[in-house]
Amino acid sequence: MSPTAHQVWTRARGLLLALLIIVVGGITAAALRSGDHHGHLDPRSADRLGSRAVATLLHNRGVSTRVVTTLDTATAAVGRNTTLVVAHPNMLTDAQREALHYAMETSGGRTILLSPGTESVATLAPGVRSTTPGPVAARDPQCSLAAARSAGNADLGGRQYITEAPGADACYPRDGRPTLLRFDTPNNGDTVLLGSADILYNHRLDDHGNASLALQLLGSRPHLVWYLPSSGDGSTTNGSGDPESTFLELIPSGWLWATLQLALAATLAAIWRGRRLGPLVTERLPVAIRASESTEGRARLYHQVNAHDRAAAALRSATRTRLAALLGVAPADAHSTAILIPAVATRTSPADRDLTALLFGPAPASDTALVLLADQLDALEKEVRTS
């Protein structure tokens, strides 16, 4: 005997409750991990802390923007006509920083490092020292760098940088130490250190001279490569740049054990709550319904809602299809007035009737008119069949 609805609910409510808890927990965790940090400094992100606005303005000025997430792609894309933006240089390993510094020295282009810390500066900008971060505020350039003087005051701050390198541009100082530092590199290139990336955020781009400074720094070359370091880069963990790691190797071991335990628990619960199979029970097949009964049932439905238009369209369509087969007209042309009407006219007498109105005319307005239309269509088909 099949279980009742109450029995099914009693057996399944435990599993449903556990599934509900898992779903709610997953949604809660996703909500807590999302927010303003989603798309941080990503030129594809329209979040407050994204950078789509500056990328759009650069595109309108003819500067192409390419987003990369691996060091190999970033170093391969740099050149004299390229500006490389490193969004999170502090995420790089020592080996990655050395490889990036070599590319910066040999490319002859511009590299912009966003808020690099002490370890990053030591490798990527030898001869420069970084200090503790401070507040971000609107500051005056107080330097001779053309981009800074043109932009005027901008939201700078964060880390401060100290260097003795000759010819360096030290701008937007805080307590006498610059928060924007530009210095030359070999092969006619240069490097820009920004103590804070606030001028690139979507929600701060239109404040003060932020947009002007950002566009001049990032748009000095026709191509912009925006490097977003990520854990997906194989060289992030071992410095080898080996991309051959499998998917299972990238999953922390704790997650694998947790997944195995959940699978085992689900299997035991299924065995515990599973229905015990008994002997096979034969059941009668569904009742066969005659075609005439189906036709009559549909006709009654049409009659109840006064669907004269649908009934007439069905009658005319079926008649046109049968006439086309009798006259040798292709099925694709069975509902074409220009092809079907002349073919029917050649097989019928020139009686006082309008074939176009009969086969393609408007819907009848009453049941009597619908019955008359059906009789006329039947008579026309008989005449064509016997001609």
Side-chain angles (χ1 to χ4, degrees), residues 2 11 34 86 89 98 142 165 190 202 209 219 228 240 287 299 310 359:
S2 301
R11 296 174 181 176
S34 64
V86 184
E98 292 176 0
Q142 300 184 29
D190 66 352
N202 289 327
L228 297 171
S240 62
V287 178
R310 290 181 176 272
L359 294 173

Coordinates of all heavy atoms in Angstrom, one line a residue, residues 2 11 34 86 89 98 142 165 190 202 209 219 228 240 287 299 310 359:
S2 N 0.5 2.2 -0.8 CA 1.3 3.4 -0.9 C 1.2 4.2 0.4 O 0.1 4.2 1.0 CB 0.9 4.3 -2.1 OG 1.0 3.5 -3.3
R11 N 8.4 11.2 7.3 CA 9.7 10.6 7.0 C 10.6 11.7 6.4 O 11.9 11.6 6.6 CB 9.5 9.5 5.9 CG 8.7 8.3 6.5 CD 8.4 7.3 5.3 NE 7.7 6.2 5.8 CZ 7.2 5.2 5.0 NH1 7.5 5.2 3.7 NH2 6.5 4.2 5.5
S34 N 30.0 39.1 0.9 CA 29.8 40.1 -0.2 C 29.7 41.5 0.4 O 29.7 41.6 1.6 CB 28.6 39.8 -1.0 OG 27.4 39.9 -0.2
V86 N 49.1 47.9 -11.0 CA 49.2 46.7 -10.1 C 48.3 47.1 -8.9 O 48.6 47.9 -8.1 CB 50.6 46.4 -9.6 CG1 50.6 45.1 -8.8 CG2 51.5 46.2 -10.8
P89 N 49.7 45.1 -4.9 CA 51.1 44.6 -5.0 C 51.5 43.8 -3.7 O 52.4 43.0 -3.8 CB 51.9 45.8 -5.2 CG 51.1 47.0 -4.7 CD 49.7 46.6 -5.0
E98 N 60.0 40.0 -7.8 CA 61.2 40.0 -8.6 C 61.0 39.9 -10.1 O 61.6 40.7 -10.9 CB 62.2 38.9 -8.1 CG 62.7 39.0 -6.7 CD 63.5 37.9 -6.3 OE1 63.7 36.9 -7.1 OE2 64.0 37.9 -5.1
Q142 N 51.9 70.4 -4.6 CA 53.2 71.0 -4.1 C 54.4 70.3 -4.8 O 55.3 69.9 -4.1 CB 53.2 70.8 -2.6 CG 52.2 71.5 -1.8 CD 52.3 71.4 -0.3 OE1 53.4 71.3 0.2 NE2 51.2 71.5 0.4
A165 N 66.4 59.5 -4.6 CA 66.7 59.4 -6.1 C 66.6 60.7 -6.7 O 65.6 61.4 -6.5 CB 65.7 58.4 -6.7
D190 N 58.9 54.8 -16.4 CA 58.8 55.4 -15.1 C 57.9 54.6 -14.2 O 57.1 53.8 -14.7 CB 58.4 56.9 -15.1 CG 57.0 57.1 -15.7 OD1 56.3 56.1 -16.1 OD2 56.4 58.2 -15.6
N202 N 34.9 54.4 -7.8 CA 33.8 55.0 -8.5 C 33.2 56.1 -7.7 O 32.8 57.1 -8.3 CB 32.7 53.9 -8.7 CG 33.2 52.9 -9.7 OD1 33.9 53.2 -10.7 ND2 32.8 51.6 -9.6
G209 N 40.1 67.0 -7.8 CA 40.7 66.8 -9.0 C 41.1 65.3 -9.2 O 42.0 65.0 -10.0
G219 N 46.3 57.3 -18.3 CA 46.1 57.5 -19.7 C 47.3 58.1 -20.5 O 47.1 58.6 -21.6
L228 N 45.2 42.4 -11.5 CA 44.5 42.1 -10.2 C 45.0 40.8 -9.7 O 44.6 39.7 -10.1 CB 43.0 42.0 -10.4 CG 42.2 43.3 -10.9 CD1 40.8 43.0 -11.2 CD2 42.3 44.4 -9.8
S240 N 56.4 29.4 -8.7 CA 56.8 28.7 -9.9 C 56.0 29.1 -11.2 O 56.5 28.8 -12.3 CB 56.8 27.2 -9.7 OG 55.4 26.8 -9.5
V287 N -6.9 4.8 -19.4 CA -8.0 4.5 -20.3 C -7.8 5.2 -21.6 O -7.4 6.4 -21.7 CB -9.3 5.0 -19.7 CG1 -10.5 4.7 -20.6 CG2 -9.6 4.3 -18.3
A299 N -14.9 20.7 -28.9 CA -15.9 21.5 -29.4 C -16.8 22.1 -28.3 O -17.3 23.3 -28.4 CB -16.8 20.7 -30.4
R310 N -11.6 30.8 -33.0 CA -10.7 29.7 -32.9 C -11.3 28.5 -33.7 O -10.5 27.7 -34.4 CB -10.4 29.3 -31.5 CG -9.6 30.3 -30.7 CD -9.3 29.9 -29.3 NE -8.4 30.8 -28.6 CZ -7.1 30.7 -28.6 NH1 -6.5 29.7 -29.3 NH2 -6.4 31.6 -28.0
L359 N -12.2 30.4 -47.5 CA -11.0 29.8 -46.9 C -10.1 30.7 -46.1 O -9.4 30.2 -45.2 CB -10.1 29.2 -48.1 CG -10.8 28.1 -48.9 CD1 -9.9 27.7 -50.1 CD2 -11.0 26.8 -48.0

